[in-house]
């Protein structure tokens, strides 16, 4: 394995990341030696310590191994940055199966980008990402995708890698509790805290999302891994039955810091009466969880979008930026057309 070394002084930091150096470098590190390499066995402890300290999080080793060892789409790629023996940054690429028309492509979701505060604004993030992208290309990944929320720092750092295109922006659509409406007599709604999927769920999703050309693969192995309790997140699934036939399903995640019940997967037919009944049942189910609103990703071309707006969902102003980087000939230029995409919160909501 090749380990690359970059030497740079504070005076040339701006030429590397196009961001003025505003200080913060440790005393005695006027000239820094930064080395970059892939994750090795034994690095996990330092990596978790860095992630948890920078984000004030409590991510565990179990959650880490769930994401990187148990992912049915394969192991991710992680690039690390060191100042001497000290881990100061990392960026990961998480495998995600994706459909582009009738063909399957290998996608990697860029995630877990973190740089120690002492070394921020010095090009470390961008340089780490550049090396990760080289690693993903060599591994045969077809396309990388990133979902930055921060348009001032993380998005410019990604764009400076030179690999990504800003395709479009996603917005969260919000509807406050309560949701009231008549329960159609032919509907039966069951909400389960034990999230498991089978082929009937997948056939339902294929039917309702058939008009969307570019979307993540929803197979039982992927979904059962994705929403497993080992993730450290609490999920539930609501299924809607009509005359003993599965009509649709929704995966929800209570997000108490924002007081929201996130509809991370919303696979429902565009029928206002049915959708209203499902939302009403969910509002009752999570009434005691200090939540007061639903949130969902949506775009005008989504099959369910008009139904959501008719029910009073409105867009928030803060966007999530969708960035893609084609890495092989299998990554079609049709990816630049936003109306071809179907992306749900669950496609980006891995921690």
């Amino acid at each position: 394995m090749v380990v690359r070394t970059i030497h740079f002084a504070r005076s040339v930091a701006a030429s590397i990341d196009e961001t003025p150096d505003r200080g913060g470098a440790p005393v005695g590190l006027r000239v820094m030696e930064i080395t970059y390499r892939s994750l090795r066995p034994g690095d996990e402890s330092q990596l978790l310590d860095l992630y948890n300290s920078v984000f004030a999080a409590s991510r565990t080793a179990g959650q880490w191994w769930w994401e990187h060892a148990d992912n049915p789409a394969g192991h991710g790629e992680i690039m690390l940055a060191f100042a001497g023996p000290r881990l100061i940054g990392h960026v990961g690429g998480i495998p995600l199966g994706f459909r582009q028309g009738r063909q399957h492509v290998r996608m990697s979701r860029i995630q877990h980008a973190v740089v120690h505060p002492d070394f921020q604004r010095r090009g470390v993030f961008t340089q780490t990402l550049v090396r990760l992208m080289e690693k993903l290309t060599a591994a045969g990944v077809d396309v990388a995708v990133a979902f930055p929320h921060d348009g001032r720092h993380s998005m410019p750092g990604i764009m400076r890698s030179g690999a990504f295109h800003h395709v479009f922006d996603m917005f969260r659509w919000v509807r406050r509790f309560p949701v009231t409406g008549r329960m159609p007599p032919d509907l039966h709604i069951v909400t389960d805290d034990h999230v498991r999927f089978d082929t009937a769920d997948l056939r339902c999703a294929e039917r309702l999302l058939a008009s969307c050309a570019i979307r993540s693969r929803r197979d039982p192995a992927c979904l059962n891994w994705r929403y497993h309790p080992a993730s450290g997140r609490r999920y539930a699934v609501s299924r809607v039955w009509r005359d003993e036939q599965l009509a649709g399903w929704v995966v929800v995640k209570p997000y108490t810091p924002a007081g929201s019940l996130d509809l991370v997967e919303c696979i429902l037919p565009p029928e206002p009466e049915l959708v209203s009944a499902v939302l009403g049942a969910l509002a009752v189910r999570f009434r005691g969880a200090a939540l007061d609103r639903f949130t969902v990703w949506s775009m005008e071309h989504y099959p369910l979008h008009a139904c959501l707006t008719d029910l009073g969902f409105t867009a928030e102003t803060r966007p999530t930026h969708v960035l893609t980087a084609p890495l092989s000939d299998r990554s079609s230029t049709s990816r630049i057309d936003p109306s071809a995409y179907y992306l749900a919160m669950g496609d980006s909501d891995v921690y």
Side-chain angles (χ1 to χ4, degrees):
M1 176 165 30
V2 176
V3 178
R4 302 187 179 192
T5 303
I6 290 182
H7 299 268
F8 61 93
R10 294 186 61 183
S11 60
V12 299
S15 68
I16 292 173
D17 67 1
E18 300 177 12
T19 303
D21 180 13
R22 305 189 188 283
V27 175
L29 284 179
R30 290 284 179 173
V31 177
M32 297 179 292
E33 180 181 74
I34 310 297
T35 59
Y36 300 87
R37 64 166 173 80
S38 297
L39 181 75
R40 296 173 182 169
D43 289 331
E44 298 86 356
S45 178
Q46 273 202 87
L47 197 157
L48 284 169
D49 288 345
L50 176 63
Y51 184 91
N52 288 335
S53 64
V54 171
F55 291 114
S58 56
R59 187 167 176 77
T60 67
Q63 291 168 300
W64 176 262
W65 287 113
W66 159 79
E67 183 175 64
H68 293 278
D70 299 337
N71 187 342
H75 292 273
E77 299 286 352
I78 298 173
M79 189 60 61
L80 305 178
F82 290 85
R86 179 185 179 190
L87 178 65
I88 62 166
H90 65 82
V91 184
I94 308 301
L96 179 68
F98 233 70
R99 292 186 56 170
Q100 180 180 294
R102 293 186 176 182
Q103 77 171 348
H104 298 297
V105 296
R106 294 184 62 193
M107 176 175 281
S108 182
R109 180 177 49 243
I110 304 304
Q111 208 159 290
H112 304 313
V114 59
V115 176
H116 191 280
D118 288 347
F119 295 87
Q120 292 176 3
R121 295 181 175 272
R122 310 185 67 79
V124 174
F125 166 53
T126 300
Q127 294 296 327
T128 309
L129 178 59
V130 166
R131 287 153 176 79
L132 174 65
M133 297 299 287
E134 293 173 353
K135 185 81 171 176
L136 294 175
T137 303
V141 174
D142 298 308
V143 62
V145 63
F147 300 102
H149 299 286
D150 185 352
R152 295 181 55 199
H153 302 296
S154 57
M155 180 175 171
I158 294 173
M159 296 299 289
R160 280 193 289 269
S161 71
F164 284 84
H165 306 283
H166 180 193
V167 188
F168 57 90
D169 288 337
M170 297 285 299
F171 291 88
R172 296 197 317 169
W173 290 71
V174 182
R175 167 66 154 86
R176 287 191 173 272
F177 294 174
V179 178
T180 59
R182 186 182 71 87
M183 173 69 76
D186 61 339
L187 292 187
H188 179 54
I189 301 172
V190 177
T191 300
D192 194 344
D193 292 329
H194 180 64
V195 182
R196 293 290 296 176
F197 293 91
D198 59 25
T199 55
D201 298 305
L202 277 297
R203 285 196 298 267
C204 180
E206 286 297 307
R207 182 178 72 253
L208 293 174
L209 299 179
S211 63
C212 303
I214 301 176
R215 62 187 189 272
S216 63
R217 294 176 61 182
R218 287 169 173 81
D219 58 76
C222 177
L223 290 175
N224 290 334
W225 162 80
R226 173 65 190 81
Y227 300 113
H228 194 278
S231 67
R233 306 286 165 173
R234 176 190 173 194
Y235 296 100
V237 59
S238 278
R239 291 182 176 86
V240 190
W241 302 86
R242 174 184 281 140
D243 297 330
E244 307 305 320
Q245 296 294 319
L246 182 63
W249 49 269
V250 183
V251 176
V252 299
K253 181 188 72 175
Y255 185 56
T256 52
S260 64
L261 185 63
D262 294 342
L263 310 176
V264 295
E265 294 270 2
C266 199
I267 312 295
L268 295 173
E271 302 171 18
E273 192 174 48
L274 180 148
V275 176
S276 179
V278 173
L279 297 181
L282 287 168
V284 171
R285 174 65 178 268
F286 291 92
R287 183 168 45 195
L291 309 175
D292 66 359
R293 71 197 71 187
F294 294 103
T295 62
V296 63
W297 274 8
S298 190
M299 298 179 70
E300 289 185 0
H301 66 276
Y302 281 18
L304 196 60
H305 185 79
C307 180
L308 294 175
T309 57
D310 287 346
L311 290 173
F313 278 80
T314 58
E316 291 188 333
T317 57
R318 183 189 180 195
T320 294
H321 309 290
V322 179
L323 313 180
T324 64
L327 302 178
S328 82
D329 293 339
R330 286 166 54 83
S331 177
S332 168
T333 55
S334 67
R335 292 183 179 280
I336 65 174
D337 180 6
S339 67
Y341 282 84
Y342 181 87
L343 294 171
M345 282 185 176
D347 292 326
S348 69
D349 183 26
V350 175
Y351 295 85

